[in-house]
Amino acid sequence: MKPVILFAAGLPRWRHWEAPLRSALHEAGIEADLVTEAVPDTVDFILYAPGGDTPPDFTAFTRCKAVLSLWAGVERIVGNTTLTQPLCRMVDPGLTQGMVEYVTGHVLRAHLGIDALLASQNGRWNPVVPPLASERPVAILGLGALGTACAQALAGLGFPVLGWSRRPKDISGIMCLHGQEGLHATLKQAQIVVTLLPATPETENTLNAQTLSLLPRGATLINPGRGTLIDDDALLAALASGRVGHATLDVFRTEPLPHDHPFWAHPRITVTPHVAADTRPSSAARVLVENIRRSLAGESLLHVVDRGAGY
Ligand code: NDP
Ligand code: OXD
């Protein structure tokens, strides 16, 4: 019997995903029924993305072997008690490349003082030469699929890169730290901090009044991780005191960011609307299908979420 794959990520996305998914299934030699609606107890795999206000109820999907997330961040599904099957998150080469480009672009923007140059085109010749990358320590909080790729790209440009993770790590060219002491040591040195942690109870407010106060004066913050990683009020206070010179924020506690939120009008905050990196159907479809192939072959799945750790 052909496996039934339910695309449960909304019809607008289906338009972009159907062809790449069919082609990836064909490439993998898998004959399947790929559908957007199905009787729950006939479904073998669910391709999932968050949407709508009500959490999904997976109880009736009694035959389902795995739920495969189109998103890297799984905070909206990881605690769903109706989900008893393995949950896999998205690790997609296209998504990773997009994040590397976003992070590298915003780090270079801060490093080269591009905002100040654009703002001071006023007929006065005022040369301010930026330091070399080798003189600008950058910290990446979160050394997973995305953080590691960004850390390596920045190290490749010559930045001294400090990386912070939950467990100890050894990545060539990156100074890896972990634990609370590691976080403090990382922040004390970093002129630019990039947050690429998942949203979990442990990572909530990783950047708060106390940790922000450790930063060198005028540090730049770039958050493409999740809004919960930063205490918003503490960030506003750190900007007011000059501890943080500028923040580029892609993700927020409430999305879309409410139109009256103080971040919008703040002269030293750049708001980007959760566009740092998107899952790219052409490459990501192959990732999803590889997991379906593995499951059907009785092999272990890739990128399985640790439900206890929350990511
Ligand atoms: P991974 O799961 O691969 O990596 C997560 C990293 O965070 C790991 O290094 C992990 O440590 C570390 N970590 C988790 N909890 C803690 C903790 N309590 N203390 C210290 N470190 C911790 O995730 P990805 O790299 O794939 O993605 C990271 C996040 O980026 C996603 O969860 C999502 O929120 C966000 N994202 C944002 C996008 C955007 O467009 N803005 C697009 C895609 C993702 P360890 O290595 O020890 O496990
Ligand atoms: C993701 C995201 O988690 O887009 O994939 O934020």
Side-chain angles (χ1 to χ4, degrees), residues 71-75 89-92 95-96 99 102 141-149 164-169 177-180 183 195-204 206 223-227 229 250-251 255 272-279 309-311:
W71 283 37
V74 288
E75 70 279 2
R89 47 183 228 94
M90 178 52 70
V91 177
D92 159 40
L95 174 82
T96 303
M99 188 59 85
Y102 179 93
L141 307 188
L143 286 175
L146 301 177
T148 298
W164 184 66
S165 54
R166 185 166 64 95
R167 296 163 290 191
K169 283 215 140 76
L177 296 110
H178 66 281
Q180 248 350 72
L183 176 64
T195 38
L196 273 168
L197 296 161
T200 68
E202 284 74 35
T203 62
E204 170 126 33
T206 295
N223 181 21
R226 280 295 183 261
L229 304 179
D250 186 57
V251 282
E255 294 184 10
T272 61
H274 202 141
V275 290
D278 210 1
T279 305
Y311 67 97

Side-chain angles (χ1 to χ4, degrees), residues 160-200:
V161 180
L162 299 120
W164 184 66
S165 54
R166 185 166 64 95
R167 296 163 290 191
K169 283 215 140 76
D170 184 6
I171 305 171
S172 167
I174 313 298
M175 187 192 284
C176 297
L177 296 110
H178 66 281
Q180 248 350 72
E181 271 181 32
L183 176 64
H184 292 181
T186 303
L187 294 178
K188 279 180 189 162
Q189 297 174 65
Q191 291 180 23
I192 302 176
V193 177
V194 181
T195 38
L196 273 168
L197 296 161
T200 68

Side-chain angles (χ1 to χ4, degrees), residues 1-4 31-33 42 44 63 296:
M1 209 160 66
K2 286 198 236 170
V4 175
E31 278 193 43
D33 281 331
T42 65
D44 294 282
R63 205 171 87 178
L296 293 173

Side-chain angles (χ1 to χ4, degrees), residues 77-87 304-311:
I77 184 178
V78 72
N80 189 320
T81 51
T82 67
L83 174 59
T84 51
Q85 296 82 359
L87 168 66
V304 178
V305 171
D306 175 342
R307 306 287 290 276
Y311 67 97

Side-chain angles (χ1 to χ4, degrees), residues 219-239:
T220 296
L221 192 60
I222 300 168
N223 181 21
R226 280 295 183 261
T228 53
L229 304 179
I230 304 178
D231 176 333
D232 289 359
D233 291 335
L235 172 60
L236 289 169
L239 283 157

